[in-house]
mmCIF file of all heavy atoms in Angstrom:
data_model
loop_
_atom_site.group_PDB
_atom_site.id
_atom_site.type_symbol
_atom_site.label_atom_id
_atom_site.label_comp_id
_atom_site.label_asym_id
_atom_site.label_seq_id
_atom_site.Cartn_x
_atom_site.Cartn_y
_atom_site.Cartn_z
ATOM 1 N N ILE A 1207 0.845 -1.206 0.001
ATOM 2 C CA ILE A 1207 -0.001 -0.003 0.000
ATOM 3 C C ILE A 1207 0.877 1.250 0.001
ATOM 4 O O ILE A 1207 0.584 2.235 -0.707
ATOM 5 C CB ILE A 1207 -0.977 -0.031 1.194
ATOM 6 C CG1 ILE A 1207 -2.054 -1.060 0.929
ATOM 7 C CG2 ILE A 1207 -1.586 1.334 1.449
ATOM 8 C CD1 ILE A 1207 -3.033 -1.274 2.047
ATOM 9 N N ASP A 1208 1.941 1.229 0.796
ATOM 10 C CA ASP A 1208 2.856 2.378 0.812
ATOM 11 C C ASP A 1208 3.477 2.625 -0.555
ATOM 12 O O ASP A 1208 3.621 3.769 -0.989
ATOM 13 C CB ASP A 1208 3.959 2.183 1.853
ATOM 14 C CG ASP A 1208 3.489 2.517 3.262
ATOM 15 O OD1 ASP A 1208 2.437 3.173 3.398
ATOM 16 O OD2 ASP A 1208 4.190 2.124 4.212
ATOM 17 N N LYS A 1209 3.866 1.570 -1.258
ATOM 18 C CA LYS A 1209 4.488 1.714 -2.576
ATOM 19 C C LYS A 1209 3.482 2.246 -3.597
ATOM 20 O O LYS A 1209 3.817 3.098 -4.415
ATOM 21 C CB LYS A 1209 5.047 0.364 -3.065
ATOM 22 C CG LYS A 1209 6.328 -0.033 -2.402
ATOM 23 C CD LYS A 1209 7.421 0.907 -2.847
ATOM 24 C CE LYS A 1209 8.731 0.452 -2.261
ATOM 25 N NZ LYS A 1209 9.812 1.382 -2.543
ATOM 26 N N LEU A 1210 2.247 1.729 -3.542
ATOM 27 C CA LEU A 1210 1.250 2.134 -4.535
ATOM 28 C C LEU A 1210 0.672 3.517 -4.244
ATOM 29 O O LEU A 1210 0.437 4.300 -5.162
ATOM 30 C CB LEU A 1210 0.123 1.087 -4.592
ATOM 31 C CG LEU A 1210 0.520 -0.293 -5.117
ATOM 32 C CD1 LEU A 1210 -0.660 -1.243 -5.044
ATOM 33 C CD2 LEU A 1210 1.058 -0.214 -6.536
ATOM 34 N N ALA A 1211 0.410 3.828 -2.978
ATOM 35 C CA ALA A 1211 -0.256 5.079 -2.642
ATOM 36 C C ALA A 1211 0.718 6.172 -2.226
ATOM 37 O O ALA A 1211 0.322 7.337 -2.125
ATOM 38 C CB ALA A 1211 -1.258 4.829 -1.519
ATOM 39 N N GLY A 1212 1.947 5.827 -1.952
ATOM 40 C CA GLY A 1212 2.942 6.808 -1.548
ATOM 41 C C GLY A 1212 2.701 7.356 -0.150
ATOM 42 O O GLY A 1212 3.004 8.513 0.120
ATOM 43 N N THR A 1213 2.176 6.538 0.737
ATOM 44 C CA THR A 1213 1.852 6.972 2.104
ATOM 45 C C THR A 1213 2.897 6.506 3.104
ATOM 46 O O THR A 1213 2.575 6.311 4.279
ATOM 47 C CB THR A 1213 0.481 6.419 2.520
ATOM 48 O OG1 THR A 1213 0.512 5.001 2.417
ATOM 49 C CG2 THR A 1213 -0.615 7.000 1.663
ATOM 50 N N SER A 1214 4.096 6.307 2.688
ATOM 51 C CA SER A 1214 5.153 5.751 3.541
ATOM 52 C C SER A 1214 5.328 6.591 4.792
ATOM 53 O O SER A 1214 5.304 7.810 4.710
ATOM 54 C CB SER A 1214 6.448 5.704 2.740
ATOM 55 O OG SER A 1214 7.453 5.084 3.476
ATOM 56 N N PRO A 1215 5.508 6.073 5.912
ATOM 57 C CA PRO A 1215 5.518 4.708 6.446
ATOM 58 C C PRO A 1215 4.195 4.313 7.094
ATOM 59 O O PRO A 1215 4.117 3.322 7.790
ATOM 60 C CB PRO A 1215 6.603 4.785 7.493
ATOM 61 C CG PRO A 1215 6.448 6.133 8.104
ATOM 62 C CD PRO A 1215 6.020 7.007 6.949
ATOM 63 N N TRP A 1216 3.124 5.097 6.883
ATOM 64 C CA TRP A 1216 1.888 4.875 7.638
ATOM 65 C C TRP A 1216 1.192 3.568 7.298
ATOM 66 O O TRP A 1216 0.659 2.898 8.180
ATOM 67 C CB TRP A 1216 0.947 6.074 7.464
ATOM 68 C CG TRP A 1216 1.566 7.290 8.051
ATOM 69 C CD1 TRP A 1216 2.076 8.363 7.379
ATOM 70 C CD2 TRP A 1216 1.813 7.523 9.434
ATOM 71 N NE1 TRP A 1216 2.615 9.268 8.256
ATOM 72 C CE2 TRP A 1216 2.457 8.770 9.545
ATOM 73 C CE3 TRP A 1216 1.556 6.822 10.600
ATOM 74 C CZ2 TRP A 1216 2.851 9.325 10.742
ATOM 75 C CZ3 TRP A 1216 1.928 7.373 11.803
ATOM 76 C CH2 TRP A 1216 2.567 8.605 11.863
ATOM 77 N N GLY A 1217 1.147 3.187 6.051
ATOM 78 C CA GLY A 1217 0.521 1.917 5.677
ATOM 79 C C GLY A 1217 1.245 0.740 6.306
ATOM 80 O O GLY A 1217 0.623 -0.202 6.807
ATOM 81 N N LEU A 1218 2.586 0.809 6.277
ATOM 82 C CA LEU A 1218 3.370 -0.261 6.883
ATOM 83 C C LEU A 1218 3.123 -0.357 8.376
ATOM 84 O O LEU A 1218 2.941 -1.456 8.919
ATOM 85 C CB LEU A 1218 4.855 -0.022 6.607
ATOM 86 C CG LEU A 1218 5.825 -1.083 7.132
ATOM 87 C CD1 LEU A 1218 5.594 -2.398 6.423
ATOM 88 C CD2 LEU A 1218 7.253 -0.622 6.956
ATOM 89 N N ILE A 1219 3.070 0.774 9.068
ATOM 90 C CA ILE A 1219 2.869 0.776 10.516
ATOM 91 C C ILE A 1219 1.487 0.230 10.862
ATOM 92 O O ILE A 1219 1.342 -0.643 11.732
ATOM 93 C CB ILE A 1219 3.065 2.196 11.087
ATOM 94 C CG1 ILE A 1219 4.527 2.611 10.964
ATOM 95 C CG2 ILE A 1219 2.594 2.263 12.522
ATOM 96 C CD1 ILE A 1219 4.789 4.070 11.289
ATOM 97 N N VAL A 1220 0.464 0.717 10.169
ATOM 98 C CA VAL A 1220 -0.905 0.297 10.462
ATOM 99 C C VAL A 1220 -1.084 -1.194 10.190
ATOM 100 O O VAL A 1220 -1.619 -1.941 11.023
ATOM 101 C CB VAL A 1220 -1.917 1.144 9.655
ATOM 102 C CG1 VAL A 1220 -3.313 0.547 9.731
ATOM 103 C CG2 VAL A 1220 -1.919 2.570 10.154
ATOM 104 N N PHE A 1221 -0.637 -1.657 9.046
ATOM 105 C CA PHE A 1221 -0.837 -3.055 8.700
ATOM 106 C C PHE A 1221 0.096 -3.986 9.477
ATOM 107 O O PHE A 1221 -0.231 -5.152 9.682
ATOM 108 C CB PHE A 1221 -0.735 -3.271 7.199
ATOM 109 C CG PHE A 1221 -2.010 -2.917 6.491
ATOM 110 C CD1 PHE A 1221 -2.190 -1.649 5.969
ATOM 111 C CD2 PHE A 1221 -3.027 -3.842 6.377
ATOM 112 C CE1 PHE A 1221 -3.366 -1.299 5.341
ATOM 113 C CE2 PHE A 1221 -4.213 -3.512 5.751
ATOM 114 C CZ PHE A 1221 -4.385 -2.237 5.229
ATOM 115 N N LEU A 1222 1.230 -3.509 9.921
ATOM 116 C CA LEU A 1222 2.072 -4.306 10.809
ATOM 117 C C LEU A 1222 1.342 -4.556 12.122
ATOM 118 O O LEU A 1222 1.325 -5.682 12.634
ATOM 119 C CB LEU A 1222 3.409 -3.604 11.064
ATOM 120 C CG LEU A 1222 4.351 -4.292 12.052
ATOM 121 C CD1 LEU A 1222 4.836 -5.609 11.481
ATOM 122 C CD2 LEU A 1222 5.521 -3.402 12.386
ATOM 123 N N LEU A 1223 0.717 -3.514 12.663
ATOM 124 C CA LEU A 1223 -0.064 -3.685 13.902
ATOM 125 C C LEU A 1223 -1.267 -4.587 13.685
ATOM 126 O O LEU A 1223 -1.591 -5.430 14.535
ATOM 127 C CB LEU A 1223 -0.488 -2.315 14.446
ATOM 128 C CG LEU A 1223 0.641 -1.438 14.962
ATOM 129 C CD1 LEU A 1223 0.116 -0.062 15.338
ATOM 130 C CD2 LEU A 1223 1.328 -2.089 16.144
ATOM 131 N N LEU A 1224 -1.952 -4.426 12.542
ATOM 132 C CA LEU A 1224 -3.081 -5.309 12.240
ATOM 133 C C LEU A 1224 -2.618 -6.762 12.070
ATOM 134 O O LEU A 1224 -3.294 -7.694 12.500
ATOM 135 C CB LEU A 1224 -3.808 -4.831 10.980
ATOM 136 C CG LEU A 1224 -4.667 -3.586 11.130
ATOM 137 C CD1 LEU A 1224 -5.217 -3.154 9.781
ATOM 138 C CD2 LEU A 1224 -5.780 -3.812 12.130
ATOM 139 N N GLY A 1225 -1.462 -6.951 11.436
ATOM 140 C CA GLY A 1225 -0.906 -8.303 11.288
ATOM 141 C C GLY A 1225 -0.543 -8.918 12.620
ATOM 142 O O GLY A 1225 -0.751 -10.114 12.851
ATOM 143 N N PHE A 1226 -0.012 -8.094 13.529
ATOM 144 C CA PHE A 1226 0.308 -8.577 14.871
ATOM 145 C C PHE A 1226 -0.962 -9.023 15.591
ATOM 146 O O PHE A 1226 -1.000 -10.091 16.197
ATOM 147 C CB PHE A 1226 1.018 -7.481 15.677
ATOM 148 C CG PHE A 1226 1.357 -7.875 17.073
ATOM 149 C CD1 PHE A 1226 2.459 -8.655 17.332
ATOM 150 C CD2 PHE A 1226 0.545 -7.493 18.137
ATOM 151 C CE1 PHE A 1226 2.776 -9.032 18.619
ATOM 152 C CE2 PHE A 1226 0.845 -7.865 19.427
ATOM 153 C CZ PHE A 1226 1.955 -8.631 19.674
ATOM 154 N N CYS A 1227 -2.018 -8.219 15.498
ATOM 155 C CA CYS A 1227 -3.300 -8.572 16.136
ATOM 156 C C CYS A 1227 -3.867 -9.850 15.516
ATOM 157 O O CYS A 1227 -4.391 -10.714 16.225
ATOM 158 C CB CYS A 1227 -4.287 -7.427 16.009
ATOM 159 S SG CYS A 1227 -3.822 -5.976 16.970
ATOM 160 N N ALA A 1228 -3.779 -9.976 14.200
ATOM 161 C CA ALA A 1228 -4.275 -11.183 13.533
ATOM 162 C C ALA A 1228 -3.463 -12.403 13.951
ATOM 163 O O ALA A 1228 -4.023 -13.490 14.153
ATOM 164 C CB ALA A 1228 -4.218 -11.005 12.018
ATOM 165 N N GLY A 1229 -2.159 -12.239 14.108
ATOM 166 C CA GLY A 1229 -1.318 -13.356 14.557
ATOM 167 C C GLY A 1229 -1.669 -13.794 15.968
ATOM 168 O O GLY A 1229 -1.753 -14.990 16.257
ATOM 169 N N VAL A 1230 -1.894 -12.837 16.860
ATOM 170 C CA VAL A 1230 -2.279 -13.172 18.235
ATOM 171 C C VAL A 1230 -3.631 -13.890 18.234
ATOM 172 O O VAL A 1230 -3.827 -14.886 18.942
ATOM 173 C CB VAL A 1230 -2.305 -11.909 19.121
ATOM 174 C CG1 VAL A 1230 -2.970 -12.190 20.457
ATOM 175 C CG2 VAL A 1230 -0.909 -11.386 19.321
ATOM 176 N N LEU A 1231 -4.571 -13.408 17.434
ATOM 177 C CA LEU A 1231 -5.889 -14.033 17.344
ATOM 178 C C LEU A 1231 -5.779 -15.470 16.819
ATOM 179 O O LEU A 1231 -6.435 -16.382 17.342
ATOM 180 C CB LEU A 1231 -6.796 -13.198 16.450
ATOM 181 C CG LEU A 1231 -8.245 -13.638 16.361
ATOM 182 C CD1 LEU A 1231 -8.924 -13.528 17.712
ATOM 183 C CD2 LEU A 1231 -8.975 -12.800 15.325
ATOM 184 N N ASN A 1232 -4.941 -15.700 15.822
ATOM 185 C CA ASN A 1232 -4.739 -17.061 15.291
ATOM 186 C C ASN A 1232 -4.145 -17.983 16.342
ATOM 187 O O ASN A 1232 -4.526 -19.152 16.435
ATOM 188 C CB ASN A 1232 -3.848 -17.026 14.061
ATOM 189 C CG ASN A 1232 -4.573 -16.516 12.845
ATOM 190 O OD1 ASN A 1232 -5.801 -16.546 12.778
ATOM 191 N ND2 ASN A 1232 -3.818 -16.044 11.869
ATOM 192 N N VAL A 1233 -3.209 -17.476 17.117
ATOM 193 C CA VAL A 1233 -2.591 -18.298 18.164
ATOM 194 C C VAL A 1233 -3.629 -18.659 19.219
ATOM 195 O O VAL A 1233 -3.712 -19.815 19.657
ATOM 196 C CB VAL A 1233 -1.389 -17.560 18.801
ATOM 197 C CG1 VAL A 1233 -0.947 -18.232 20.078
ATOM 198 C CG2 VAL A 1233 -0.239 -17.505 17.822
ATOM 199 N N LEU A 1234 -4.438 -17.703 19.616
ATOM 200 C CA LEU A 1234 -5.460 -17.977 20.620
ATOM 201 C C LEU A 1234 -6.505 -18.969 20.108
ATOM 202 O O LEU A 1234 -6.977 -19.828 20.853
ATOM 203 C CB LEU A 1234 -6.130 -16.668 21.062
ATOM 204 C CG LEU A 1234 -5.246 -15.713 21.862
ATOM 205 C CD1 LEU A 1234 -5.986 -14.422 22.140
ATOM 206 C CD2 LEU A 1234 -4.775 -16.357 23.142
ATOM 207 N N ARG A 1235 -6.851 -18.874 18.839
ATOM 208 C CA ARG A 1235 -7.789 -19.849 18.259
ATOM 209 C C ARG A 1235 -7.169 -21.241 18.204
ATOM 210 O O ARG A 1235 -7.836 -22.231 18.492
ATOM 211 C CB ARG A 1235 -8.192 -19.413 16.853
ATOM 212 C CG ARG A 1235 -9.218 -18.334 16.844
ATOM 213 C CD ARG A 1235 -9.643 -18.030 15.430
ATOM 214 N NE ARG A 1235 -10.544 -16.902 15.411
ATOM 215 C CZ ARG A 1235 -10.702 -16.103 14.383
ATOM 216 N NH1 ARG A 1235 -10.027 -16.319 13.274
ATOM 217 N NH2 ARG A 1235 -11.545 -15.102 14.442
ATOM 218 N N SER A 1236 -5.923 -21.332 17.821
ATOM 219 C CA SER A 1236 -5.263 -22.647 17.740
ATOM 220 C C SER A 1236 -5.122 -23.275 19.122
ATOM 221 O O SER A 1236 -5.210 -24.485 19.261
ATOM 222 C CB SER A 1236 -3.885 -22.514 17.114
ATOM 223 O OG SER A 1236 -3.991 -22.220 15.754
ATOM 224 N N ALA A 1237 -4.887 -22.441 20.126
ATOM 225 C CA ALA A 1237 -4.732 -22.961 21.484
ATOM 226 C C ALA A 1237 -6.073 -23.309 22.111
ATOM 227 O O ALA A 1237 -6.117 -23.933 23.161
ATOM 228 C CB ALA A 1237 -3.996 -21.938 22.341
ATOM 229 N N GLY A 1238 -7.164 -22.919 21.454
ATOM 230 C CA GLY A 1238 -8.485 -23.238 21.982
ATOM 231 C C GLY A 1238 -8.946 -22.270 23.050
ATOM 232 O O GLY A 1238 -9.869 -22.575 23.789
ATOM 233 N N LEU A 1239 -8.314 -21.129 23.156
ATOM 234 C CA LEU A 1239 -8.706 -20.155 24.168
ATOM 235 C C LEU A 1239 -9.825 -19.238 23.687
ATOM 236 O O LEU A 1239 -10.468 -18.572 24.490
ATOM 237 C CB LEU A 1239 -7.492 -19.319 24.591
ATOM 238 C CG LEU A 1239 -6.344 -20.121 25.205
ATOM 239 C CD1 LEU A 1239 -5.152 -19.225 25.476
ATOM 240 C CD2 LEU A 1239 -6.807 -20.791 26.480
ATOM 241 N N ILE A 1240 -10.051 -19.204 22.381
ATOM 242 C CA ILE A 1240 -11.163 -18.452 21.803
ATOM 243 C C ILE A 1240 -11.976 -19.422 20.969
ATOM 244 O O ILE A 1240 -11.429 -20.143 20.129
ATOM 245 C CB ILE A 1240 -10.656 -17.291 20.916
ATOM 246 C CG1 ILE A 1240 -9.950 -16.255 21.769
ATOM 247 C CG2 ILE A 1240 -11.802 -16.663 20.158
ATOM 248 C CD1 ILE A 1240 -9.429 -15.095 20.985
ATOM 249 N N ALA A 1241 -13.280 -19.437 21.200
ATOM 250 C CA ALA A 1241 -14.160 -20.325 20.438
ATOM 251 C C ALA A 1241 -14.338 -19.782 19.027
ATOM 252 O O ALA A 1241 -14.442 -18.574 18.807
ATOM 253 C CB ALA A 1241 -15.507 -20.448 21.121
ATOM 254 N N VAL A 1242 -14.373 -20.683 18.069
ATOM 255 C CA VAL A 1242 -14.577 -20.317 16.686
ATOM 256 C C VAL A 1242 -16.078 -20.314 16.441
ATOM 257 O O VAL A 1242 -16.783 -21.256 16.805
ATOM 258 C CB VAL A 1242 -13.865 -21.315 15.747
ATOM 259 C CG1 VAL A 1242 -14.084 -20.961 14.297
ATOM 260 C CG2 VAL A 1242 -12.384 -21.359 16.066
ATOM 261 N N SER A 1243 -16.587 -19.272 15.799
ATOM 262 C CA SER A 1243 -18.031 -19.173 15.575
ATOM 263 C C SER A 1243 -18.469 -20.176 14.511
ATOM 264 O O SER A 1243 -17.668 -20.693 13.730
ATOM 265 C CB SER A 1243 -18.402 -17.756 15.150
ATOM 266 O OG SER A 1243 -17.907 -17.503 13.863
#
């Protein structure tokens, strides 16, 4: 997104944080600590 839109470094920062949250959510689902709908 940063390369295409020229918004460096904001796209990288925002999506890095979103990726971190998604990774934590995946770990919690795999561990069975969050029920899958």
Side-chain angles (χ1 to χ4, degrees):
I1207 287 176
D1208 280 344
K1209 284 292 184 185
L1210 294 176
T1213 58
S1214 185
W1216 296 108
L1218 182 65
I1219 292 170
V1220 169
F1221 279 93
L1222 176 67
L1223 292 174
L1224 286 175
F1226 179 80
C1227 292
V1230 169
L1231 186 63
N1232 285 339
V1233 167
L1234 292 176
R1235 282 184 185 154
S1236 290
L1239 299 175
I1240 294 180
V1242 179
S1243 69

